């Protein structure tokens, strides 16, 4: 089955009870048993729920994985992965990590005795120099947030395999429309399904997808034992969102290309970060592992300071100033004061998150309206 069919049918069966074409919302916590243990595969909704189960099958299908797991948020999904580790274990991750992931690692799990290293993951020698017998996990994002750096998934998976380390990729920005990290050697794919998979900014959800069955068993155990699961309503919404993922992504990418080119030529713009631009420092890796370049763009403006940047954001009318990304509507953001405020200024500026950086989540509106909006805000 091709991707554009999997989004609609992948892992799905019509509901066995009445043949409902859409998976019904099984709004129930428990299931009748005819005799103790005599049930139809469902006992209690923290462990299993048919609507969530349909969604988990869909997650697995679109990411070319065997097992999918849904969580109450992206961070709950990441939390489940870190719970595979023990005190003394070490994790190597990227230095422009999603702010919430950085906070989870450094403000919670560091206190449990897990050690985190943050490096530019394009440098394989830096990664190799940090690996020791305690290293248990490589955690990558590509493209990264908000600098849109690209890391070579295949190369990292080789490093992980040689050293017997788990390799996880946060695939939130790219989505499986653009890249499927399991095919490139990753062990775990993670999503904030809040973003493109849900696609309509109306639900918070997380996902993990794996191939290895014993790893899946461990994660299912954590999912049930810790209990950070999504409810059936939200599971239904994300399933519905995934059915249009391919056509939404196509338009997100088309619009982002036009906007990146527009900004790239604009006299008030200093630098544009979008992996589809030839002047992007990782363009060749991007081209080799991505089918398209996504809907996220970051840029800085010339002679720009904090206040002027805020004024540009306030002038935007169609781009709504808001946290999050990946919905049908265009959003703008100021990483330094919003998504990345929890990262110390010095740390964040080292990775490029300066005060004048603006991040756009390009929606699927008419491109001429979006460009007009940016034009008036910049001028
Ligand atoms: C939003 C986001 C997360 C966290 O997901 P939530 O659903 O907000 O918990 C993790 N990684 C990336 C890249 C994100 O954009």
């Amino acid at each position: 089955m091709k991707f554009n069919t999997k989004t609609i049918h992948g892992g799905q069966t019509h509901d066995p009870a009445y043949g409902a074409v859409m998976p019904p919302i099984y709004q129930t916590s428990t299931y009748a048993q005819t005799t103790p243990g005599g049930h139809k595969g469902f006992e209690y909704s923290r462990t299993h729920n048919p609507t969530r189960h349909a969604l988990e099958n869909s997650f697995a299908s679109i990411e070319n994985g065997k097992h999918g797991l849904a969580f109450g948020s992206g961070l709950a999904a990441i939390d489940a992965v870190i719970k595979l580790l023990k005190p003394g274990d070490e994790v190597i991750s990227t230095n422009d990590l999603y702010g919430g992931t950085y906070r989870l690692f450094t403000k919670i799990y560091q206190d449990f005795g897990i050690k985190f290293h943050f490096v530019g993951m394009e440098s394989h020698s830096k990664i190799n120099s940090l690996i020791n017998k305690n290293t248990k996990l490589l955690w990558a994002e590509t493209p990264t947030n908000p600098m849109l750096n690209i890391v070579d998934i295949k190369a990292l998976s080789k490093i992980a395999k040689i050293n017997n380390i788990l390799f996880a990729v946060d695939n939130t920005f790219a989505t499986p429309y653009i890249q499927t990290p399991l095919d490139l050697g990753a062990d775990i794919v993670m999503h904030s399904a809040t973003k493109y998979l849900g696609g309509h900014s109306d639900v918070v959800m997380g996902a993990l997808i794996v191939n290895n069955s014993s790893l899946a068993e461990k994660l299912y155990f954590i999912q049930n034992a810790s209990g950070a699961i999504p409810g059936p309503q939200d599971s239904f919404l994300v399933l519905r969102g995934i059915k249009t993922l391919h056509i939404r992504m196509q338009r997100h990418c088309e619009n982002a290309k036009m906007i990146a080119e527009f900004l790239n030529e604009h006299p008030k713009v200093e630098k544009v970060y979008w992996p589809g631009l030839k002047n992007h420092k990782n363009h060749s890796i991007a081209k080799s592992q991505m089918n398209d370049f996504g809907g996220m763009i970051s840029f800085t403006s010339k002679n720009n300071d904090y206040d002027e940047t805020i004024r540009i954001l306030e002038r935007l009318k169609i781009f709504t100033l808001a946290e999050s990304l990946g919905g049908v509507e265009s959003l703008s953001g100021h990483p330094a004061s919003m998504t990345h405020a929890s990262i110390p200024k010095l740390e964040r500026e080292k990775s490029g998150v300066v005060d004048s950086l603006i991040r756009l989540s390009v929606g699927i509106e008419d491109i001429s309206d979006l460009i007009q909006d940016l034009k008036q805000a910049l001028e």
Side-chain angles (χ1 to χ4, degrees), residues 72-76 78 98 100-101 141 143 145 170 172-173 190-195 204-206 324-325 359:
S73 69
L75 283 170
I78 302 172
Y98 173 73
T101 310
E141 275 179 32
N145 176 33
D170 181 337
T172 300
F173 269 39
M190 173 263 156
H191 276 278
S192 169
T194 313
K195 315 296 166 53
V204 174
M205 168 99 55
S324 201
L325 61 112
R359 190 189 80 176

Side-chain angles (χ1 to χ4, degrees), residues 22-38:
M22 280 303 290
I25 301 168
Y26 280 94
Q27 192 76 49
T28 186
S29 63
T30 189
Y31 306 82
Q33 307 191 7
T34 49
T35 181

Side-chain angles (χ1 to χ4, degrees), residues 38-83:
H39 54 72
K40 298 177 174 168
F42 297 90
E43 288 168 278
Y44 185 62
S45 281
R46 176 168 20 76
T47 320
H48 289 118
N49 173 281
T51 317
R52 191 177 95 217
H53 189 63
L55 174 65
E56 291 178 327
N57 285 344
S58 170
F59 283 154
S61 170
I62 58 175
E63 280 288 358
N64 294 341
K66 290 206 179 83
H67 310 276
L69 297 96
F71 291 87
S73 69
L75 283 170
I78 302 172
D79 183 81
V81 174
I82 303 303
K83 282 175 175 153

Side-chain angles (χ1 to χ4, degrees), residues 46-322:
R46 176 168 20 76
T47 320
H48 289 118
N49 173 281
T51 317
R52 191 177 95 217
H53 189 63
L55 174 65
E56 291 178 327
N57 285 344
S58 170
F59 283 154
S61 170
I62 58 175
E63 280 288 358
N64 294 341
K66 290 206 179 83
H67 310 276
L69 297 96
F71 291 87
S73 69
L75 283 170
I78 302 172
D79 183 81
V81 174
I82 303 303
K83 282 175 175 153
L84 294 165
L85 307 178
K86 293 191 182 60
D89 287 350
E90 297 187 18
V91 179
I92 302 172
S93 190
T94 168
N95 60 1
D96 63 344
L97 196 59
Y98 173 73
T101 310
Y102 180 84
R103 184 176 56 199
L104 176 69
F105 288 177
T106 58
K107 296 278 162 67
I108 294 187
Y109 281 107
Q110 206 156 268
D111 289 347
F112 284 77
I114 296 168
K115 197 167 170 187
F116 296 89
H117 304 276
F118 302 97
V119 296
M121 285 191 127
E122 297 130 290
S123 165
H124 302 158
S125 61
K126 266 194 203 141
I127 295 174
N128 276 318
S129 72
L130 285 168
I131 291 177
N132 62 62
K133 64 175 184 358
N134 297 322
T135 312
K136 295 289 155 60
L137 176 68
L138 291 188
W139 185 275
E141 275 179 32
T142 184
T144 63
N145 176 33
M147 298 314 299
L148 286 313
N149 292 323
I150 305 296
V151 300
D152 186 334
I153 299 175
K154 234 184 216 165
L156 287 195
S157 81
K158 274 191 195 129
I159 295 175
K161 287 223 163 54
I162 291 169
N163 295 285
N164 202 20
I165 301 167
L166 274 180
F167 174 37
V169 177
D170 181 337
N171 205 27
T172 300
F173 269 39
T175 84
Y177 175 82
I178 286 177
Q179 69 193 12
T180 45
L182 294 178
D183 294 333
L184 300 171
D187 300 300
I188 301 173
V189 167
M190 173 263 156
H191 276 278
S192 169
T194 313
K195 315 296 166 53
Y196 288 107
L197 301 192
H200 297 75
S201 306
D202 52 10
V203 60
V204 174
M205 168 99 55
L208 297 177
I209 303 100
V210 302
N211 269 324
N212 181 289
S213 298
S214 77
L215 179 59
E217 278 313 308
K218 286 180 196 162
L219 289 167
Y220 283 123
F221 179 85
I222 293 167
Q223 181 194 37
N224 182 47
S226 284
I229 46 112
Q233 289 269 355
D234 286 354
S235 299
F236 174 87
L237 280 174
V238 174
L239 254 174
R240 168 192 259 230
I242 288 173
K243 287 181 191 291
T244 55
L245 178 64
H246 51 301
I247 48 172
R248 285 187 286 108
M249 286 311 296
Q250 185 180 349
R251 180 64 69 83
H252 283 298
C253 294
E254 279 169 17
N255 281 357
K257 180 172 195 288
M258 306 277 271
I259 288 174
E261 284 166 358
F262 162 77
L263 291 172
N264 205 32
E265 300 287 308
H266 198 285
K268 295 231 166 115
V269 171
E270 172 78 37
K271 181 137 182 60
V272 183
Y273 301 89
W274 187 67
L277 287 176
K278 285 201 177 66
N279 65 12
H280 185 283
K281 64 177 174 162
N282 309 127
H283 180 64
S284 62
I285 305 168
K287 248 175 48 184
S288 73
Q289 72 184 18
M290 301 167 80
N291 300 322
D292 207 326
F293 304 103
M296 298 301 297
I297 300 174
S298 291
F299 70 98
T300 54
S301 43
K302 268 182 198 150
N303 309 319
N304 213 330
D305 61 7
Y306 188 90
D307 293 335
E308 175 52 18
T309 308
I310 300 299
R311 278 195 292 276
I312 294 173
L313 288 163
E314 287 171 350
R315 282 196 292 263
L316 285 167
K317 293 192 178 77
I318 296 177
F319 283 86
T320 304
L321 179 62

